[in-house]
């Protein structure tokens, strides 16, 4: 079942991910042919690996829900009967790695040549700016789903494009070339599936 | 309306907190007599202050929900029709302050003399241990609700009592005296209501 957010994007049942037993990828075939997996699932799996190996503690934040009605059946769990999806005021993922606070968004696009800034909400960008001012390490993991290319884009580049877009002739997207030049291409790996902390190390050592 | 988690604890509608307009405490009378406010509401308000003043970026994590059924009425927002509360695998709050990753639980108890360890789940303690190993600053903010006393208890003390409880004669609670001696008493303040970062500074400088 594919659920949809009010904005029409697929929902992938990520909210319930944590309820399920941790999936292990014994079958490495999946790694290079995982076209059915969402970026979020791929990252959750990578974070489980990092957690189990005591490398980092990074979690997907639960989707915020506005609860309106709950019923309390006798002898069984409370059931939420009416609730709505809310827009998150922060980003998808945060946590701690080598003493650093990490905060990032995961974004997939079907565009082939550039990453549309409309993928971000103002409050997400403002949240990353605030975290950056506090010394946090912020970035976006972008997946070009048609070509299955992955990049880690430092927040500074996003901020520059974001702040420029309202100007005359300001671009509404970041060219893939810019992302490749100022960010880091990430190749899919076995364990973890998306070895993004390797590139966070580069951000730290910059 | 007071909702209840499946475990019977009051729910305080915290999930929907962020939907409401940010409350400002113009009336400082409330500060010393806020008996109706949950610790979580008090902390959310304090975090809003810290965020607005660019002092720290700390957020309450949304309560994780297992969604079972969603309906999509035409021309209006998706409605969650069946969902369940899940146990969180992490803690209540995390974020970044002066380059440090902060991670903490907020706990209220009606006990007058000690803080029962049964207020914690194993996975919450394990999460704080993992974050501590990564260099994060972890603690609990404990409110003795009968006397309205607040303390910040460093995670190391919790870990010690937690690991000892299964031993013969291991205590199942932490005496208030220990909390006062090894933690920090926090007095309610005006802005922010709970100035806990003042005591985080002491943890950092230790
Ligand atoms: Mg995302
Ligand atoms: Mg709590």
């Amino acid at each position: 079942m594919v659920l949809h957010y009010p904005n029409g994007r697929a929902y992938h049942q990520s909210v319930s991910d944590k309820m399920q037993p941790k999936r292990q990828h014994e079958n490495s075939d999946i790694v290079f042919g995982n076209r059915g997996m969402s970026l979020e699932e791929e990252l959750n799996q990578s974070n489980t690996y990092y957690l189990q190996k005591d490398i980092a503690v990074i979690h997907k934040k639960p989707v915020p829900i506005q609860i309106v009605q709950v019923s309390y059946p006798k002898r069984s769990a409370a059931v939420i009967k009416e609730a709505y999806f809310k827009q998150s005021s922060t980003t998808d993922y945060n946590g701690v790695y080598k003493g650093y606070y990490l905060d990032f968004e995961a974004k997939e696009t079907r565009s082939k040549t550039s990453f549309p800034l409309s993928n971000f909400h103002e409050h997400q960008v403002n949240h990353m700016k605030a975290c950056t001012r506090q010394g946090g390490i912020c970035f976006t993991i972008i997946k070009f789903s048609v070509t299955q290319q992955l990049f880690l884009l430092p927040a500074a580049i996003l901020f520059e494009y974001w702040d420029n877009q309202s100007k005359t002739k300001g671009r509404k997207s970041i060219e893939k070339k810019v992302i490749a030049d100022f960010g880091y291409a990430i190749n899919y790996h076995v364990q973890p599936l998306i070895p993004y902390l390797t590139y966070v190390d580069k951000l730290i050592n910059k």
Side-chain angles (χ1 to χ4, degrees), chain A:
Chain A
M1 180 175 65
V2 175
L3 306 177
H4 285 80
Y5 281 120
N7 63 7
R9 281 188 300 137
Y11 165 57
H12 294 302
Q13 289 198 279
S14 55
V15 179
S16 60
D17 272 351
K18 283 190 191 162
M19 275 305 268
Q20 282 144 32
K22 299 255 189 298
R23 278 158 296 177
Q24 295 292 342
H25 267 268
E26 249 97 56
N27 181 353
S28 62
D29 285 346
I30 294 171
V31 173
F32 302 100
N34 52 329
R35 313 228 159 200
M37 242 190 187
S38 71
L39 175 57
E40 191 171 304
E41 289 168 319
E42 293 170 348
L43 284 168
N44 290 346
Q45 196 181 296
S46 307
N47 288 334
T48 297
Y49 173 83
Y50 283 137
L51 182 65
Q52 287 171 344
K53 294 290 178 186
D54 230 342
I55 294 167
V57 184
I58 313 287
H59 286 280
K60 170 80 173 65
K61 284 174 225 168
V63 174
I65 303 287
Q66 164 86 354
I67 296 173
V68 174
Q69 197 203 326
V70 183
S71 85
Y72 302 93
K74 278 183 187 160
R75 275 181 282 276
S76 60
V79 187
I80 297 164
K81 290 287 193 187
E82 184 186 353
Y84 298 89
F85 294 103
K86 295 187 339 192
Q87 211 174 61
S88 173
S89 52
T90 64
T91 43
D92 289 335
Y93 293 89
N94 75 356
V96 59
Y97 171 58
K98 291 182 180 173
Y100 292 94
Y101 173 83
L102 305 191
D103 196 294
F104 63 99
E105 261 295 312
K107 299 284 191 193
E108 282 183 83
T109 180
R110 294 199 58 79
S111 161
K112 287 175 191 169
T113 53
S114 67
F115 177 76
L117 291 170
S118 57
N119 276 284
F120 279 95
H121 298 292
E122 177 97 45
H123 53 256
Q124 290 179 319
V125 178
N126 288 341
H127 170 75
M128 285 199 274
K129 285 180 176 177
C131 289
T132 300
R133 286 194 299 271
Q134 284 302 322
I137 296 177
C138 303
F139 52 91
T140 304
I141 293 181
I142 297 173
K143 180 176 179 176
F144 288 92
S145 51
V146 174
T147 54
Q148 296 274 308
Q149 282 173 292
L150 280 178
F151 295 96
L152 184 152
L153 182 73
I157 311 298
L158 171 68
F159 298 161
E160 196 183 313
Y161 274 74
W162 185 265
D163 294 340
N164 264 322
Q165 66 177 326
S166 53
K167 293 185 189 155
T168 322
K169 296 183 188 167
R171 285 190 58 96
K172 305 283 184 243
S173 65
I174 311 177
E175 307 92 308
K176 196 200 264 184
K177 191 187 168 348
V178 169
I179 294 170
D181 285 354
F182 294 95
Y184 302 96
I186 308 177
N187 290 318
Y188 280 101
H189 193 73
V190 182
Q191 294 270 44
L193 191 48
I194 299 182
Y196 67 95
L197 290 179
T198 304
Y199 305 95
V200 169
D201 283 334
K202 292 180 195 282
L203 291 181
I204 291 171
N205 295 322
K206 244 186 177 171

